[in-house]
């Protein structure tokens, strides 16, 4: 969270001939600028906000996720069956695209170990079971803690 002094410094830096490229990411609505009593969009002073190009983003659709995963498979020289692609697309929508992309490499290693030429549904499911998400690990540790506490 930047305060008014930081924004003042950034404003001065943007006025120089060798001005840096400034990239900011925020999801704040209209909120108070730190160090002042003024409110503005994203908590950014209006004079700096006028200099910014605001690019809104939206989540990937299922079609976009599937296309990104297929491009990644082509780049990694991995042949994937339709059923495995549907599983990875679903995983990408439920967790994250990064996680689904990491599963491509994992599944291709499983397939190579089994001497399969292309990824199928079973290798995708094996990889999903082997590489749990952070959320899954937290749930497992909470359940283990609850069980161990109730036994004592």
């Amino acid at each position: 969270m930047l305060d008014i002094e930081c924004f003042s410094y950034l404003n001065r830096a943007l006025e120089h001939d060798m001005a840096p490229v400034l990239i900011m990411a925020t999801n704040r609505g209209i909120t108070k600028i730190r160090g002042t009593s003024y409110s503005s969009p994203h908590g950014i002073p209006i004079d700096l906000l006028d200099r910014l190009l605001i690019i809104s983003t939206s989540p990937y659709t299922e079609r976009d996720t599937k296309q990104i995963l297929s491009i990644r498979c082509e780049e990694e020289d991995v042949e994937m069956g339709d059923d495995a692609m549907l599983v990875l697309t679903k995983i990408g929508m439920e967790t994250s695209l990064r996680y689904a992309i990491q599963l491509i490499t994992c599944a291709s290693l499983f397939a190579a170990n089994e001497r399969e030429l292309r990824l199928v549904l079973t290798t995708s499911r094996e990889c999903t079971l082997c590489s749990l998400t952070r959320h899954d690990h937290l749930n497992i540790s909470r359940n283990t803690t609850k069980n161990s506490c109730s036994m004592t």
Side-chain angles (χ1 to χ4, degrees):
M1 300 285 257
L2 301 176
D3 63 356
I4 192 67
E5 292 176 14
C6 293
F7 286 124
S8 175
Y9 175 79
L10 289 173
N11 248 340
R12 275 181 284 160
L14 290 174
E15 292 174 0
H16 289 286
D17 294 336
M18 299 291 288
V21 174
L22 178 66
I23 299 174
M24 302 172 76
T26 179
N27 62 354
R28 300 173 71 196
I30 295 180
T31 185
K32 184 179 166 191
I33 303 169
R34 292 187 62 180
T36 69
S37 59
Y38 299 109
S39 293
S40 72
H42 310 290
I44 299 173
I46 300 295
D47 58 336
L48 179 60
L49 194 61
D50 289 338
R51 295 176 171 206
L52 300 178
L53 170 67
I54 298 176
I55 301 172
S56 62
T57 59
S58 59
Y60 291 122
T61 63
E62 190 171 336
R63 182 174 176 243
D64 294 336
T65 303
K66 186 175 182 177
Q67 185 178 10
I68 291 168
L69 289 172
S70 65
I71 291 170
R72 185 61 183 229
C73 285
E74 287 177 21
E75 290 297 319
E76 292 189 18
D77 291 330
V78 174
E79 231 182 281
M80 185 173 298
D82 292 335
D83 53 349
M85 182 59 81
L86 287 173
V87 170
L88 280 181
T89 303
K90 184 178 178 187
I91 290 169
M93 295 298 293
E94 290 174 356
T95 57
S96 71
L97 183 60
R98 178 176 293 172
Y99 178 65
I101 288 172
Q102 290 172 349
L103 284 179
I104 293 171
T105 305
C106 180
S108 68
L109 292 173
F110 269 103
N113 196 25
E114 297 293 323
R115 291 178 177 72
E116 294 179 15
L117 295 177
R118 53 188 244 151
L119 301 181
V120 292
L121 184 62
T122 55
T123 54
S124 298
R125 285 196 177 145
E126 286 173 358
C127 290
T128 304
L129 293 174
C130 289
S131 54
L132 299 172
T133 62
R134 178 176 54 106
H135 186 345
D136 295 332
H137 284 292
L138 289 173
N139 286 339
I140 290 169
S141 65
R142 284 185 190 136
N143 290 339
T144 305
T145 307
K146 284 180 185 176
N147 292 338
S148 63
C149 290
S150 63
M151 295 176 134
T152 58

